[in-house]
Amino acid sequence: MASFVKVGLLLVVVVVFAGLNLSAAKIYTVGDSIGWTILNSPNYTAWAAGKPFREGDTVYFKYNKQFHNVLEVSKADYNSCKSSSPSATYSTGNDSITIKTAGHHYFICGIPGHCQIGQKVDIFVGGGKATAPASSAAPSPSLSPAFIPSTAPSASAAQAPSSGAQLPLALSTIIEVATMTSAIVLMGL
């Protein structure tokens, strides 16, 4: 009987890990640590080329709002750096834009001269969809609270998004599964 329980427990762990959502939506900070700027001549084309953008992902523009903005524009306006007819305008300095459709999404800075010297980015989104990160389920009442890891958000969770934003969720899930598995084994099931 004990071997059947161990096999069943192993199957549960395998199913949980197989169901771990590794295609969760990602948050990409445009320009990574330098953000959205003209200083040091960032190459946003090269930055975007290395990213596997998917529907549901978020692009995060971090910039000084006194000197920059973000305009979502057509391909023609992107190519000519025309800022007079954007489809959307962002100007908070901390703009998160969730990509909802596949295809090209063109963004420029509308401050005169900035687009012309390279402050523009073409975000190409492939056909695959990323899913929103799963929320944490309530702990099972059959386990002692001492064995349940805390999944409450902390003050550090309010930091600016990064391209690795999905890692804590996956790590939290792995730790939770390992902890519950240990609790079950310790309880003698």
Side-chain angles (χ1 to χ4, degrees):
M1 176 74 175
S3 64
F4 286 117
V5 171
K6 288 179 183 176
V7 170
L9 181 61
L10 180 60
L11 287 174
V12 168
V13 171
V14 168
V15 167
V16 168
F17 280 114
L20 187 61
N21 190 359
L22 298 177
S23 64
K26 294 180 183 177
I27 300 171
Y28 294 97
T29 300
V30 176
D32 294 324
S33 63
I34 64 168
W36 185 240
T37 185
I38 57 173
L39 298 176
N40 299 319
S41 304
N43 184 338
Y44 294 110
T45 301
W47 173 84
K51 309 290 185 280
F53 298 107
R54 298 171 60 149
E55 290 176 57
D57 287 346
T58 297
V59 288
Y60 173 67
F61 289 85
K62 174 74 174 158
Y63 57 92
N64 184 331
K65 68 181 183 177
Q66 294 177 328
F67 301 108
H68 306 287
N69 61 18
V70 179
L71 307 179
E72 189 165 2
V73 297
S74 67
K75 180 179 181 178
D77 288 351
Y78 174 85
N79 289 333
S80 65
C81 288
K82 180 182 168 198
S83 61
S84 60
S85 57
S87 59
T89 301
Y90 305 92
S91 58
T92 69
N94 291 296
D95 304 316
S96 294
I97 303 165
T98 300
I99 304 299
K100 298 177 181 170
T101 59
H104 290 273
H105 298 269
Y106 301 100
F107 301 94
I108 66 172
C109 180
I111 304 301
H114 288 201
C115 177
Q116 289 84 348
I117 60 174
Q119 194 174 9
K120 61 185 196 173
V121 64
D122 172 2
I123 305 292
F124 177 72
V125 178
K129 291 185 179 184
T131 57
S135 61
S136 181
S140 169
S142 64
L143 296 177
S144 165
F147 293 112
I148 307 299
S150 172
T151 56
S154 66
S156 64
Q159 298 176 27
S162 71
S163 61
Q166 74 285 355
L167 182 60
L169 177 64
L171 187 56
S172 171
T173 303
I174 292 169
I175 291 170
E176 188 171 347
V177 169
T179 303
M180 285 195 262
T181 303
S182 298
I184 291 169
V185 169
L186 290 173
M187 292 181 348
L189 294 178

